[in-house]
Amino acid sequence: MNIAIYAGSFDPVTNGHLDILRRALHVFPRVTVATAETVSKRCTFSLEERLNLLKQVTRDMEGVEVRAFEGLLVEFTRSLGAKVIVRGLRQTTDFDYEFQMATMNARLDSDIQTVFFLSSLEYLHLSSSLVKEIATLGGDVSQLVPPQVEDAIIQKVK
Ligand code: COA
């Protein structure tokens, strides 16, 4: 009952995502970080690469499990016996999209609640695409992602 699902594309995971995950762990004893082969966007990292990075950077976080899922997020959530989906909110521009997803997920399964955690100020402007763009142009991303992710991005954009 106390499991929450933190789902995203995590292409790749950033310090902003880890900030949301840490906040969620203050409220939920167990959080399953879930990522999928997304249909809505083409990812730079394969599903396996995204999962591996997520596993590496959450290794020391108690109560965290990393899983891949297929299909609808609400169905995956239900299959784990969970009732909460966690999402992060960075700025007001996230709101419309998140509101649409949360209401659609609620319509698909009214037993499942979406809970939002506000991003820390330092990560308000962070996104995986921006990190990849900065790295591609030779910029320093060491403050934006964990070291393992920085190495993986540098290899990828070489
Ligand atoms: N810090 C940094 N970046 C953040 C962030 C945070 N706290 N919160 C969100 N972001 C960024 C992500 O890095 C990503 O950036 P990018 O577009 O540059 O890659 C962007 O915000 C989108 O966030 P993400 O969490 O990856 O969501 P998504 O819109 O890609 O959705 C799923 C991913 C898996 C949750 C969604 O596709 C899904 O639910 N799929 C299952 C199918 C389904 O059920 N569909 C019906 C939904 S109603």
Side-chain angles (χ1 to χ4, degrees):
M1 281 299 273
N2 288 327
I3 310 175
I5 312 298
Y6 180 27
S9 41
F10 302 113
D11 184 40
V13 57
T14 68
N15 289 343
H17 295 123
L18 294 176
D19 166 53
I20 299 295
L21 179 57
R22 285 194 192 94
R23 281 155 188 267
L25 286 166
H26 284 297
V27 179
F28 302 102
R30 289 162 62 201
V31 178
T32 297
V33 181
T35 191
E37 206 62 86
T38 61
V39 280
S40 51
K41 67 181 171 200
R42 220 159 105 214
C43 286
T44 306
F45 289 87
S46 69
L47 179 60
E48 199 187 336
E49 289 171 328
R50 284 180 280 134
L51 283 170
N52 277 338
L53 287 172
L54 280 167
K55 283 181 186 162
Q56 285 178 46
V57 302
T58 59
R59 190 172 287 152
D60 297 329
M61 294 169 92
E62 207 176 315
V64 175
E65 184 193 27
V66 174
R67 297 274 294 260
F69 74 100
E70 277 178 37
L72 288 176
L73 178 56
V74 285
E75 278 179 11
F76 175 69
T77 303
R78 203 167 34 218
S79 75
L80 296 187
K83 291 192 180 294
V84 174
I85 292 170
V86 162
R87 296 286 292 169
L89 274 183
R90 290 163 299 170
Q91 323 179 44
T92 51
T93 44
D94 280 344
F95 184 79
D96 285 351
Y97 174 67
E98 292 297 338
F99 184 76
Q100 197 181 7
M101 274 224 293
T103 46
M104 185 52 80
N105 281 331
R107 194 173 166 155
L108 291 168
D109 189 330
S110 57
D111 283 340
I112 294 175
Q113 310 298 323
T114 301
V115 174
F116 294 99
F117 288 86
L118 294 184
S119 172
S120 296
L121 286 180
E122 60 192 302
Y123 302 125
L124 281 185
H125 303 289
L126 187 54
S127 75
S128 300
S129 304
L130 269 185
V131 170
K132 287 180 283 190
E133 186 179 323
I134 294 165
T136 304
L137 298 171
D140 176 14
V141 295
S142 61
Q143 304 299 306
L144 309 176
V145 292
Q148 303 93 320
V149 178
E150 184 185 7
D151 291 345
I153 297 176
I154 290 169
Q155 288 303 317
K156 186 67 80 177
V157 303
K158 247 184 194 173

